[in-house]
Amino acid sequence: MNESRLVDREAPIGIFDSGVGGLTVLKEIFKILPFENGVYFGDVGRTPYGGRSKDIITEFTRQDIAFLIEQKVKFIVCACNTASSVALEDIKKDYDIDMIGVIEPGARAAAERTKSGKIGIIGTHATINSNAYAKYIHEIDPDLKVFSLACPLFVPLAEEGYIDKEATYYIAVDYLQTMKDVEVDTLVLGCTHYPLLKHVIGDVMGDDVLLIDSGEETARAARDILSESNLMNPSASQTPCPEGEQKYFVSDVPERFSGVASRFLGREVSRITRVDISRY
Amino acid sequence: MNESRLVDREAPIGIFDSGVGGLTVLKEIFKILPFENGVYFGDVGRTPYGGRSKDIITEFTRQDIAFLIEQKVKFIVCACNTASSVALEDIKKDYDIDMIGVIEPGARAAAERTKSGKIGIIGTHATINSNAYAKYIHEIDPDLKVFSLACPLFVPLAEEGYIDKEATYYIAVDYLQTMKDVEVDTLVLGCTHYPLLKHVIGDVMGDDVLLIDSGEETARAARDILSESNLMNPSASQTPCPEGEQKYFVSDVPERFSGVASRFLGREVSRITRVDISRY
């Protein structure tokens, strides 16, 4: 193994999202790849992507990726469901670097675990309109029945910390009744904000419905790809295994950012640098 | 009166907002200045401004104004509470053209109409943190008591059409209880989205509390300024008075735009042109 190869393997993983939501994916990556270095970019200056057009989402996603590549990352995780479903496939072709989105791992897990063959997908307007989850699921098994539903208010509710409130329960009942009516046995949380409302969504759907967290599945898929491509950080084999270094970049630092970010990540978010992303 | 003066007076009024919210202000302008031509710019590609930093809001506001000036408008209405409270005062100094924001008219109406001397202000995080309403009110009367509160979930609830839902009522009760506790007799709707929830807010606050719609007050203030500056469209004196021409520009055209926009404006939104606002 030559030196340049070693440098490659120690390079950070690049993770980006339209804002803070991707921190729930990073949280899962920390759990199973704690030794990896990471660069997180959150486009909080232009968040949310979920209600925007394909053109704008593609333009923003290209800039996010260009920034991470400048940071010399070895692998890119698109932790945003909206960008993954609308823009990533087109952009991927233009680069040599491995990239993974959150759709395929979530779709695969749902297809493998459903018993009744009825899968529900919830996400932003853009994710649902793209039909990306259904397309992946049908590539795996065309006989599976997929029901998709936009639940846009779950994003601001999660960001505002409206987790255990009566209003959130009423909105969840409102949104999810059709999923109960069609009797899905598996529901994909197709937006990185939704794991914060997992408890409420689970209560409404009932114990018999399996909730798939796309972020969790994506972290597992990232581990498999790094392992297969021999890109895992060599420090992984050290005992004790040292923890990787994490850097955070954002396109804006609003007053309430670090509080919201820490709630999403489940640990303190430090070393935050602001980037002028429109220049990429 | 020379010809160039005539051209000036026929020029459109420029109105801008961070997104669709400003259409509630335009709706009020239509009512009292129906003969004026108008250019509306909605920054839907970067909406919402309310949770962003002062730097970013100022940068975006400068671009919005630069675009309207290129459209040769005679007068500018900043229909966004966040931009009006955080950025407008600084930017105004750099231009000759008259500009008005939504804060001063709303603040003035509240100061004039309160009887108990206790005024409540509700708005986005950025508007409330700026303390702009309280500053204007205290310039008019330093003895008035002002209570300010961010109600960020009202924005997505209005955009998603969650107007008459139980959940919206619960969130309004949650937010507004402190305003009831301190017994304000006047409540300023300090966000252009809030008039859509006027009914719910009014129900929660009770009949004794006067709701001030900043958009309505701004339309009146705009009429007064045009009249005093002799900038009113000369067609105003024709009988019958012809209706002005309206043009709409946006920084993105998401799939659901025209439906949401029509709900905010109370009439169909047509002739929508997309602008690449980051180039301004």
Side-chain angles (χ1 to χ4, degrees), chain A residues 40-62:
Chain A
Y40 182 88
F41 173 71
D43 198 2
V44 291
R46 304 187 296 194
T47 199
Y49 287 7
R52 309 203 192 284
S53 69
K54 183 179 166 135
D55 281 5
I56 285 274
I57 296 165
T58 304
E59 181 191 330
F60 288 178
T61 304
R62 275 192 191 280

Side-chain angles (χ1 to χ4, degrees), chain B residues 19-202:
Chain B
V20 290
L23 293 171
T24 64
V25 182
L26 184 58
K27 186 180 174 180
E28 300 301 328
I29 291 176
F30 278 159
K31 280 187 201 158
I32 62 173
L33 297 165
F35 44 81
E36 292 292 346
N37 300 310
V39 173
Y40 182 89
F41 173 70
D43 198 2
V44 290
R46 305 186 297 194
T47 199
Y49 287 5
R52 310 205 191 282
S53 70
K54 182 178 166 132
D55 281 4
I56 286 274
I57 295 165
T58 304
E59 182 190 330
F60 289 178
T61 304
R62 274 192 192 281
Q63 291 174 323
D64 302 342
I65 288 172
F67 167 73
L68 287 179
I69 285 175
E70 197 185 73
Q71 301 307 305
K72 303 193 173 20
V73 298
K74 64 180 174 185
F75 176 62
I76 290 179
V77 178
C78 172
C80 174
N81 275 270
T82 302
S84 296
S85 52
V86 171
L88 194 66
E89 286 309 303
D90 282 351
I91 297 172
K92 248 170 143 173
K93 299 169 196 150
D94 303 339
Y95 292 94
D96 285 333
I97 190 167
D98 276 327
M99 293 187 201
I100 186 176
V102 282
I103 308 296
E104 199 172 350
R108 183 166 302 281
E112 284 168 4
R113 293 193 218 156
T114 179
K115 283 175 187 149
S116 70
K118 289 183 178 177
I119 298 169
I121 311 290
I122 55 175
T124 63
H125 284 298
T127 299
I128 296 306
N129 289 342
S130 77
N131 213 26
Y133 275 102
K135 274 183 234 158
Y136 275 114
I137 289 172
H138 288 142
E139 274 175 25
I140 299 168
D141 183 348
D143 292 333
L144 293 173
K145 292 196 175 72
V146 181
F147 303 90
S148 304
L149 181 75
C151 302
L153 286 171
F154 283 169
V155 170
L157 288 168
E159 291 205 3
E160 291 302 323
Y162 255 66
I163 310 296
D164 292 315
K165 301 271 196 171
E166 218 157 0
T168 306
Y169 185 80
Y170 277 106
I171 290 171
V173 168
D174 238 30
Y175 278 152
L176 300 172
Q177 190 56 50
T178 52
M179 286 294 174
K180 294 181 67 145
D181 291 347
V182 296
E183 296 179 340
V184 300
D185 75 342
T186 306
L187 183 69
V188 178
L189 307 180
C191 173
T192 51
H193 283 67
Y194 296 1
L196 275 88
L197 303 177
K198 206 169 181 175
H199 182 68
V200 183
I201 296 168

Side-chain angles (χ1 to χ4, degrees), chain A residues 93-110:
Chain A
K93 297 169 196 148
D94 303 338
Y95 293 95
D96 284 334
I97 191 168
D98 276 327
M99 293 186 200
I100 186 177
V102 283
I103 309 295
E104 198 173 349
R108 184 166 300 281

